[in-house]
Amino acid sequence: MLEINHVSMAYANGRIKAVDDLSFSLKPGEIFGFLGANGAGKTTTIKMTTGILPVKSGSISICGHDITKDPVEAKRNFGFVPDSPIIFDKYTGREYIDFLADVYGVSKEQRQKVTSDLLKRFSLEEAFDKRISGYSHGMKQKIAIIGALIHSPSLWILDEPMMGLDPQSAFALKELMREHRDAGKTVFFSTHVLDVAEKICDRVAIINKGKLVLCGDIEEIKQAKGDESLEEIFLSVAGGSDE
């Protein structure tokens, strides 16, 4: 589903390594948590995975398509929710979703089915025909989530998706993540909310200063660490923030 092989990224003329020889893979039918302190390299990795940043060292492939060599096909297979949703705010919510559906070639029947369900879950029906410029941060996050799912992607990528969501919407998001996994698809998300990761993830990877320090099945990791909580394990291997 997703293969990240020996990927590195450096800034400041190579003096600062944001990602350092990172390798791991995701398989169909799992929720995979990507954990690390601020500045650990999570967002840089996700930006390379989605094609926002170039992959200059190593390779990343999505459903067998290299994000550098075959970017269009790679991008057809994922939906992405960034940590700060950047949306065409002169559009209404409906116009924005229709634009994305057109890009992905989603039929009118399919987009109606997806939006009808998700608008109800996120209590966004009344705002759907209003301009996004008038949305709150949480509402923009919700419309970004709907946009990422409009084409039913095989891989769903989310960067700190709980930020700005009220408890009801956060619950709806976690339900959607589980449903995505149960349909045989894959969820790849970064988060600082470790109790959420512990409850919903099948596997996790923890990075520290751009390096992978731990990766595996979450229950097996906890057992190997003496049944410590994910928070305790995280603090023991990843330390604090670099920022």
Side-chain angles (χ1 to χ4, degrees):
M1 187 64 73
L2 172 64
E3 296 281 345
I4 295 178
N5 293 307
H6 301 290
V7 170
S8 295
M9 169 65 77
Y11 297 111
N13 294 321
R15 295 194 303 273
I16 300 173
K17 277 206 169 182
V19 178
D20 191 357
D21 195 30
L22 191 64
S23 295
F24 59 86
S25 62
L26 278 64
K27 56 191 177 184
E30 70 173 347
I31 299 175
F32 190 97
F34 194 41
L35 314 177
N38 290 335
K42 301 188 304 298
T43 295
T44 297
T45 302
I46 287 175
K47 285 183 175 180
M48 286 191 288
T49 301
T50 55
I52 296 171
L53 288 176
V55 181
K56 295 183 178 179
S57 176
S59 66
I60 297 176
S61 64
I62 297 165
C63 297
H65 302 285
D66 189 290
I67 191 64
T68 300
K69 298 176 181 177
D70 195 7
V72 174
E73 287 304 315
K75 291 174 183 179
R76 288 185 194 279
N77 286 282
F78 70 78
F80 175 46
V81 181
D83 55 349
S84 297
I86 300 172
I87 301 173
F88 304 131
D89 61 4
K90 290 185 179 180
Y91 283 2
T92 65
R94 186 184 302 276
E95 289 169 340
Y96 176 69
I97 296 301
D98 278 340
F99 166 74
L100 291 177
D102 288 342
V103 168
Y104 287 107
V106 180
S107 69
K108 289 184 178 180
E109 293 77 14
Q110 179 64 17
R111 71 182 71 177
Q112 173 63 29
K113 179 181 178 181
V114 173
T115 54
S116 177
D117 175 43
L118 296 182
L119 288 171
K120 288 179 182 177
R121 294 192 190 214
F122 289 119
S123 302
L124 209 58
E125 298 104 318
E126 292 184 7
F128 196 41
D129 287 303
K130 296 179 180 178
R131 290 193 184 276
I132 293 171
S133 57
Y135 284 16
S136 66
H137 176 83
M139 292 166 70
K140 290 179 179 178
Q141 187 80 346
K142 294 175 192 178
I143 205 71
I145 291 167
I146 296 171
L149 292 175
I150 195 64
H151 60 302
S152 301
S154 298
L155 174 63
W156 190 14
I157 304 171
L158 308 99
D159 193 4
E160 297 291 348
M162 304 297 173
M163 292 179 63
L165 293 181
D166 56 80
Q168 179 181 352
S169 297
F171 179 80
L173 176 59
K174 287 180 281 187
E175 278 194 325
L176 282 168
M177 293 167 77
R178 292 188 180 103
E179 290 171 14
H180 204 73
R181 173 198 59 196
D182 293 345
K185 300 178 180 181
T186 303
V187 178
F188 176 42
F189 80 108
S190 71
T191 184
H192 285 120
V193 188
L194 296 177
D195 61 336
V196 169
E198 185 166 5
K199 289 176 182 176
I200 71 170
C201 288
D202 301 295
R203 291 196 301 142
V204 295
I206 300 176
I207 64 170
N208 185 31
K209 297 181 179 179
K211 285 184 174 292
L212 184 68
V213 294
L214 193 63
C215 183
D217 179 278
I218 193 164
E219 291 303 323
E220 291 178 359
I221 289 172
K222 289 169 64 177
Q223 290 175 12
K225 296 288 185 177
D227 289 323
E228 292 182 338
S229 68
L230 183 59
E231 182 178 33
E232 292 170 324
I233 295 168
F234 176 85
L235 291 174
S236 71
V237 301
S241 169
D242 289 334
E243 295 182 350

